[in-house]
Amino acid sequence: MDISIKNITENYRDRMERLVLFDPLYTLERKSGKDNRSKPIDYYGLGFLSLLFFFENMLIRNKKAGVLELAEFLSKLTQEEYELNFEEYIKLSREIIQVFRPPSGRRNSREFYNWETGKEEVIQYSILKASHFDTKTNTQYYELDEQGLELIFATKEFFSEFQLSINQLILRKQLEKGEFVGALRQIDEMRMDVKGLQDKIYRIKHEIQRNIVSDETYKRYESIVDDIHFRLSRENEEFEELKSFIKETRERLEHEKREEKMRKAYGLILRIDKELGEVHYEHRQLLSQSIDMKTTALNAAQESLYYIGIDSFNFKDQVTNKLLSAPLPLEASRRLVEPFLYLEKGEFWSPLAVFSKQRIGKRGTEGSNISFAEPLGDWEVQEEIKIHQKNFKHIMEITMEAMDKDKSITLGKVIDFMKENDYEDILEDRTFYDFWILLHHSSPIKIEIEENQNQMLDKVIELLEGDCQWIEVVEVSGKLKPNDRYVIKDMRLTLEGDRDAI
Amino acid sequence: MLYEQEQVVQAFRIYSILAIDGKAYKDDIRLYLADDSIKGLVDMFAKEVDCTLLVVGDFIYMIPLAINSPFHVSNETIKDKYLPSRAVNADIYMMYVAIIILFGEFYDSYQTTEATRDFIKMEDWLNSVNDKILSLKGYDEEELIKLERKYEYNWIAVIEKWDALDDIKENVQQTARTISRMSFMNVVKRFLEEQELVEDIGNEEVQLTEKAKAIIQRYFMELEYNREILEFIYSLEGKDGEDIASYI
C-alpha cells in the first residue's frame, strides 16, 4: 500500500499554526525562577492559568484585567505553595504577560520550513493584546487575542469553528434539564464566540482589501468568506430554534410560577431570554456583515484587475535604510512621506461676507490679542513638567550620592562633588540652579505627595519618601561661582526626621 | 470616452467631498463604488491633482502620490499647524525622517507583506531614530558637505538639530522653551494621529491604523508605484542605478 506524501503534507501550514500557539508556554517553561524558599516556580502552569484568568475575565465582561489583577489572582492561587511577596507577584505577572505580548511590539513569530510548498515561511501570532487603557492611573488592561482564544479552545476537546454550535447544543440540553444557572454561563461563552467571530470578520475584511493580488488568493478568500457565511447562517438557524424553545419553556413556567421554586426559575428564564436575545442580535449583525463581505470581496477582486501588487517589499530595508545610509538628499524624505500627508485646502474669502451676520463681541475683549509668544498648549506644559521632574530627580540623586550617609550638605560641597565625579556638564545648565532656588523657595518641604503642591518636585519627593520627613534648605554665607556663567548663594540642605528608622 | 453631463457633475461632487476631507464614508459616495464610469472620472480628477484613491474598510481615502506636486500640502502649512512655533525647515525634515523610520520598523521583512509587529514603544522608536541619525554622524563629513552643496537642504542641520535636543542638557537660553527628543517624538505622534495613521494604545505604545497599513500595502507595494519610488531612490543614489532591474 502506497502512502501518499501529498496527503501527509497537506495543509502543513495550518497545522503548524496550531502547533506554534503553544510556543510561548514553552518559553515560559524554560524560565527558572525560584521563590524565597528556593522552590522552583511552575512558569508553564502559571502561564497557562494566566490565560485562563484573562479568558474568565472576558467571560464575565470585566475589562479591567491588568498586571495588578493578575498578580492578585496568582497570589491567591499560589499562596499555599510559594513564598513570594506581592512585589514579586507583580514581577511574575509582568514576566508572564511579556511572554504572551512581547514588550517590543514585535509580534510573536516562528519561522519554519513548509514541506508542502518547499519554502521557508513565517507564522505570526498574537496571544494577548491591550484592550483598554486608563489614562488616569496609566494602567493598561489586556484581553486574549485571536490566537490566545484559539489556544484556550485548543485545550478543550473541540475546535473553535464548532465552538458556537457546540455551545448552542449544550445550552439546549441544559434548558431541557432545567439547569438555568449553567445556561446563563453558556450564553456568556457564546457571547465570547461571537466576539471572536467579530474580530475575525473585521480582520478578514481588511485583509481582503489589502491582499487580493492574484486569482489564487482571491479563491482562497472566497472560500473563507463562503465558509464563514455558511457557518453563520447555520448558527443563525440554531439561534432561532433556541429562541422558540425558550419561549415554550417560558410559557410553560408562566402557568406554574405561583410556586416559590418555580418563580425563581421563571426569573432565570426571563434573563436567559434577554441575554440570548442580545447575543443573537450581535450574531445577526455578523450575518449581514458577511453578506456585505461577499460583495466587498468581489469589489476588491474587481479592483485588483487594475492593481498589481508585489510579493515582497521591505520598507525598512528598501526605503528607510536607503534614505539614511546613502544618504539621499534630505528633500527626498519629503517625497517619500508624501502619501501619508494630505492635500492643501484652499481657504477663500468672499467679499460678500461683509454683508453676512456679524457677532457682536463685548467691548474690550477684542484688540487684546496682540501678543508675542503664544501660550503653551496644555500638552506642552505637561511635557515640560515631566522633563523638569525628571531632571530634578536626577539632580537630587546626585545630591544624595554626594551626601553619602550624612543628613546635611552645603551646595558648595555638592558642586565640588559634581566636579570630581564627571557631572560638570549639569553645572552648565540652568536647570541645576532653578532646582536649588525652587528648593530654597519652598523650604521646608514635607515629604508627602499632596495636591496643590508644586508638581515639579513630585519625583524628588517620591525619591526621598521613607528617607526623611522634611527637607529644609537655608542660605549660608558665601557666594559660589561654579563656572563663568552662573553665580549662586551657598545654601545648606538638611534632611529632617528619621532616616535610619526605616 | 463620452460622459453624460449628469455623471460628470456627480463625479465632481464626489471628488470635492474627498478633496475637502481627504476621505469619505462609502455610503456617502456609493456611486463611486457602484458606477464604473463615475469611478473612472473621480480617479481621473484625483490623478490631475497628483493623488490616488484607496478603499480602506468602509472609507475611501485620497492619498497624495509620492511626487513633487504643487497640489500637495506645503511644508509651510504643516509647520504652522503641527510644529511648535519657531520651528525651522530642519524640524520638518526631521519629522519626515522620523515617520519613514517608524514605518520601517513595522515593515522590515521580505518574507511577509504584513507588518511584523503590532505596536511600538515610543522609546524604541526614539532609539531607532537616534541610532539612524547617529550613524549619519559617522559619515564622512566631506561627503556630506559635498551633498549639501548639491542640494538645497542639508543633513548636517538635521544632525545638529537632533543633537541639540537632549533631555538633560536643555539649552534653555537658546530656545526659551524646553524641547527634548521625546517631546519632539510626541509632536510627530500627534501629527500622525491627526492624519489617522497611528493610534495611541496607552503605556507609551502606538500602533498603525488600517489606513496606514493600506497606504503601505496598497500604495508602496503596488507594482507601478513601487517601481516609481524605487527608481526615484536609485536615481538619487546614482551609482547603484543598475540594481533597479533586480526589483522588478
Side-chain angles (χ1 to χ4, degrees):
Chain A
M1 197 172 75
D2 269 342
I3 291 175
S4 150
I5 288 181
K6 196 173 158 290
N7 278 346
I8 290 176
T9 57
E10 201 176 12
N11 296 330
Y12 187 74
R13 186 187 168 92
D14 293 351
R15 287 172 201 275
M16 274 310 272
E17 274 172 6
R18 275 183 202 280
L19 264 182
V20 164
L21 293 181
F22 297 90
D23 278 6
L25 288 174
Y26 297 128
T27 314
L28 277 172
E29 196 177 21
R30 281 194 294 275
K31 282 190 189 281
S32 54
K34 286 187 174 144
D35 76 344
N36 297 329
R37 275 178 306 185
S38 343
K39 185 171 175 183
I41 293 171
D42 174 21
Y43 275 97
Y44 182 85
L46 292 186
F48 182 53
L49 287 167
S50 303
L51 289 182
L52 287 173
F53 167 77
F54 285 113
F55 181 68
E56 194 64 26
N57 271 303
M58 288 167 81
L59 276 186
I60 59 172
R61 277 168 277 159
N62 172 22
K63 288 205 172 108
K64 298 208 162 170
V67 175
L68 216 63
E69 288 75 11
L70 179 61
E72 260 164 37
F73 162 73
L74 289 177
S75 87
K76 261 187 225 150
L77 177 80
T78 63
Q79 58 188 350
E80 309 268 293
E81 297 292 323
Y82 300 134
E83 211 178 276
L84 292 170
N85 62 32
F86 195 62
E87 293 286 300
E88 285 158 333
Y89 272 116
I90 287 184
K91 199 175 137 248
L92 177 67
S93 44
R94 225 170 237 137
E95 269 178 280
I96 290 175
I97 287 175
Q98 281 179 1
V99 169
F100 292 126
R101 180 178 180 274
S104 64
R106 205 158 276 280
R107 291 187 142 214
N108 272 323
S109 71
R110 163 80 170 251
E111 275 184 46
F112 72 104
Y113 182 78
N114 189 336
W115 289 96
E116 188 185 11
T117 58
K119 281 188 205 132
E120 286 287 339
E121 288 182 20
V122 180
I123 292 172
Q124 297 189 351
Y125 58 100
S126 157
I127 304 272
L128 206 60
K129 67 177 178 194
S131 62
H132 186 68
F133 175 59
D134 189 345
T135 33
K136 273 191 205 120
T137 55
N138 197 24
T139 330
Q140 215 173 17
Y141 299 109
Y142 307 98
E143 64 181 26
L144 295 178
D145 208 352
E146 215 178 305
Q147 282 84 24
L149 284 172
E150 230 171 276
L151 176 58
I152 294 290
F153 290 137
T155 57
K156 286 192 174 182
E157 294 137 69
F158 33 75
F159 295 120
S160 62
E161 271 104 83
F162 302 115
Q163 186 65 27
L164 191 56
S165 311
I166 289 165
N167 276 333
Q168 285 172 331
L169 217 80
I170 296 174
L171 179 64
R172 178 155 197 145
K173 288 275 168 249
Q174 279 170 329
L175 290 173
E176 277 166 11
K177 283 194 204 152
E179 289 172 7
F180 295 141
V181 181
L184 273 172
R185 187 187 159 92
Q186 215 56 45
I187 291 177
D188 280 337
E189 284 203 17
M190 277 158 73
R191 197 187 296 270
M192 297 265 317
D193 299 332
V194 172
K195 171 94 182 10
L197 261 175
Q198 251 166 7
D199 289 349
K200 188 169 179 183
I201 288 182
Y202 176 83
R203 188 176 51 82
I204 287 178
K205 200 167 145 188
H206 280 97
E207 258 184 37
I208 287 180
Q209 285 176 336
R210 286 203 301 259
N211 282 347
I212 292 191
V213 287
S214 64
D215 205 34
E216 194 187 324
T217 45
Y218 171 66
K219 289 233 167 70
R220 194 161 67 83
Y221 278 114
E222 197 187 24
S223 79
I224 291 177
V225 172
D226 276 347
D227 280 353
I228 289 179
H229 184 72
F230 174 72
R231 173 182 161 191
L232 285 172
S233 28
R234 193 190 58 212
E235 285 164 358
N236 193 43
E237 279 167 30
E238 183 63 27
F239 267 122
E240 298 287 353
E241 273 177 41
L242 270 174
K243 260 177 103 177
S244 61
F245 183 75
I246 287 176
K247 204 172 152 224
E248 281 165 28
T249 322
R250 202 182 64 199
E251 274 163 10
R252 188 164 50 81
L253 283 172
E254 213 162 3
H255 299 298
E256 302 166 18
K257 74 176 172 188
R258 253 162 272 125
E259 290 167 51
E260 182 64 30
K261 200 176 130 207
M262 285 302 165
R263 192 147 40 207
K264 204 177 152 209
Y266 184 69
L268 279 172
I269 198 88
L270 282 184
R271 243 182 88 195
I272 289 172
D273 191 20
K274 183 173 146 281
E275 300 220 346
L276 189 74
E278 282 171 19
V279 176
H280 186 199
Y281 172 73
E282 277 169 32
H283 187 268
R284 223 175 16 222
Q285 284 195 319
L286 287 182
L287 191 66
S288 72
Q289 263 187 43
S290 80
I291 295 167
D292 205 34
M293 202 156 68
K294 265 185 142 168
T295 50
T296 0
L298 284 177
N299 271 341
Q302 234 174 18
E303 259 179 61
S304 67
L305 289 179
Y306 319 106
Y307 173 86
I308 313 163
I310 48 171
D311 296 336
S312 81
F313 175 65
N314 184 333
F315 195 94
K316 187 174 190 171
D317 203 43
Q318 289 176 279
V319 178
T320 313
N321 290 349
K322 279 271 152 44
L323 175 73
L324 287 150
S325 57
L328 302 185
L330 195 47
E331 241 192 333
S333 68
R334 157 78 201 202
R335 192 148 153 191
L336 293 171
V337 283
E338 203 76 77
F340 300 109
L341 304 178
Y342 55 97
L343 274 196
E344 186 99 67
K345 268 174 246 170
E347 286 176 357
F348 307 107
W349 183 79
S350 154
L352 286 177
V354 172
F355 302 112
S356 66
K357 276 189 194 167
Q358 294 192 8
R359 270 185 54 211
I360 299 174
K362 269 190 207 149
R363 200 176 295 181
T365 52
E366 274 177 61
S368 62
N369 54 358
I370 310 157
S371 61
F372 293 105
E374 279 176 48
L376 299 176
D378 262 359
W379 61 270
E380 281 174 305
V381 174
Q382 287 304 322
E383 287 291 334
E384 272 198 36
I385 290 177
K386 267 194 203 153
I387 292 163
H388 277 303
Q389 282 178 343
K390 248 181 148 173
N391 288 343
F392 287 172
K393 186 182 168 195
H394 189 60
I395 295 167
M396 194 63 211
E397 278 167 353
I398 294 168
T399 312
M400 303 268 285
E401 220 179 306
M403 278 204 287
D404 201 16
K405 289 246 157 61
D406 294 337
K407 281 190 169 183
S408 149
I409 193 167
T410 60
L411 178 53
K413 288 263 169 56
V414 176
I415 290 171
D416 290 342
F417 174 81
M418 288 172 70
K419 282 187 175 164
E420 281 160 27
N421 287 283
D422 246 5
Y423 289 122
E424 219 164 340
D425 51 335
I426 295 175
L427 294 175
E428 300 279 325
D429 195 84
R430 219 185 98 170
T431 313
F432 181 76
Y433 306 94
D434 284 346
F435 174 67
W436 282 92
I437 292 165
L438 181 66
L439 279 189
H440 180 249
H441 181 72
S442 24
S443 160
I445 302 165
K446 196 175 181 197
I447 299 303
E448 214 177 69
I449 305 272
E450 281 173 23
E451 271 177 55
N452 308 326
Q453 201 181 21
N454 195 336
Q455 287 180 30
M456 296 286 190
L457 292 174
D458 275 3
K459 292 262 162 157
V460 174
I461 290 172
E462 252 170 50
L463 184 73
L464 289 172
E465 242 174 1
D467 268 352
C468 61
Q469 283 153 1
W470 296 86
I471 38 179
E472 199 169 59
V473 176
V474 287
E475 253 173 69
V476 293
S477 60
K479 273 186 187 172
L480 301 168
K481 197 165 187 294
N483 52 35
D484 292 343
R485 236 167 101 189
Y486 298 101
V487 177
I488 190 166
K489 278 212 87 175
D490 202 359
M491 310 180 196
R492 170 172 290 280
L493 179 140
T494 316
L495 304 181
E496 290 186 7
D498 261 340
R499 183 172 177 174
D500 304 325
I502 297 156
Chain B
M1 186 167 170
L2 279 175
Y3 295 100
E4 284 167 35
Q5 190 179 354
E6 181 64 13
Q7 282 180 325
V8 178
V9 171
Q10 273 166 341
F12 188 75
R13 201 174 293 145
I14 289 169
Y15 165 77
S16 23
I17 293 175
L18 286 164
I20 289 167
D21 293 335
K23 67 168 183 188
Y25 186 60
K26 73 168 189 214
D27 285 356
D28 294 338
I29 56 171
R30 193 165 275 286
L31 276 176
Y32 175 77
L33 296 170
D35 188 328
D36 266 351
S37 42
I38 288 183
K39 180 181 155 68
L41 270 172
V42 179
D43 284 345
M44 249 160 64
F45 292 164
K47 192 134 200 181
E48 282 302 311
V49 292
D50 300 317
C51 282
T52 182
L53 298 173
L54 284 189
V55 184
V56 183
D58 292 335
F59 287 92
I60 290 121
Y61 287 95
M62 186 142 121
I63 310 291
L65 294 174
I67 53 172
N68 272 326
S69 160
F71 297 106
H72 296 170
V73 64
S74 66
N75 282 347
E76 284 307 313
T77 313
I78 293 181
K79 214 158 66 182
D80 289 349
K81 266 180 123 163
Y82 298 101
L83 292 179
S85 46
R86 287 163 207 267
V88 292
N89 266 339
D91 287 285
I92 196 160
Y93 283 106
M94 210 157 80
M95 175 160 105
Y96 294 157
V97 170
I99 293 174
I100 291 170
I101 289 173
L102 175 75
F103 288 111
E105 287 300 312
F106 279 88
Y107 289 90
D108 63 349
S109 163
Y110 284 107
Q111 284 181 326
T112 166
T113 51
E114 292 286 330
T116 54
R117 55 164 82 226
D118 288 324
F119 61 89
I120 189 168
K121 272 207 169 278
M122 289 298 287
E123 210 183 311
D124 292 342
W125 180 18
L126 185 143
N127 287 338
S128 171
V129 173
N130 202 23
D131 286 351
K132 293 263 150 60
I133 290 186
L134 287 187
S135 74
L136 273 180
K137 261 172 109 178
Y139 209 81
D140 189 9
E141 194 160 333
E142 265 178 42
E143 193 77 3
L144 279 178
I145 291 170
K146 228 199 286 174
L147 280 167
E148 197 176 312
R149 248 180 245 135
K150 200 163 152 198
Y151 304 104
E152 208 175 328
Y153 296 106
N154 58 62
W155 280 101
I156 296 174
V158 170
I159 297 169
E160 277 168 2
K161 186 100 209 163
W162 184 255
D163 267 352
L165 299 184
D166 203 330
D167 277 25
I168 190 77
K169 282 190 274 179
E170 308 285 6
N171 199 341
V172 184
Q173 287 209 320
Q174 193 192 16
T175 57
R177 168 178 300 188
T178 0
I179 307 174
S180 70
R181 288 178 184 170
M182 194 41 111
S183 68
F184 172 77
M185 298 308 284
N186 276 321
V187 170
V188 180
K189 185 193 88 179
R190 224 176 318 273
F191 173 74
L192 290 173
E193 271 178 325
E194 231 154 284
Q195 301 307 314
E196 292 175 38
L197 294 167
V198 303
E199 278 162 345
D200 190 339
I201 53 166
N203 202 15
E204 307 273 289
E205 295 161 356
V206 293
Q207 65 182 23
L208 295 190
T209 59
E210 288 299 334
K211 178 185 174 189
K213 288 181 191 161
I215 291 176
I216 303 262
Q217 291 176 238
R218 294 298 303 267
Y219 182 83
F220 279 89
M221 297 191 194
E222 209 263 1
L223 189 66
E224 195 66 23
Y225 295 129
N226 185 270
R227 185 160 56 193
E228 277 170 22
I229 291 165
L230 294 183
E231 264 172 16
F232 167 68
I233 291 175
Y234 291 125
S235 72
L236 293 170
E237 263 186 328
K239 48 188 184 245
D240 295 337
E242 59 269 24
D243 281 0
I244 301 173
S246 64
Y247 285 102
I248 298 171

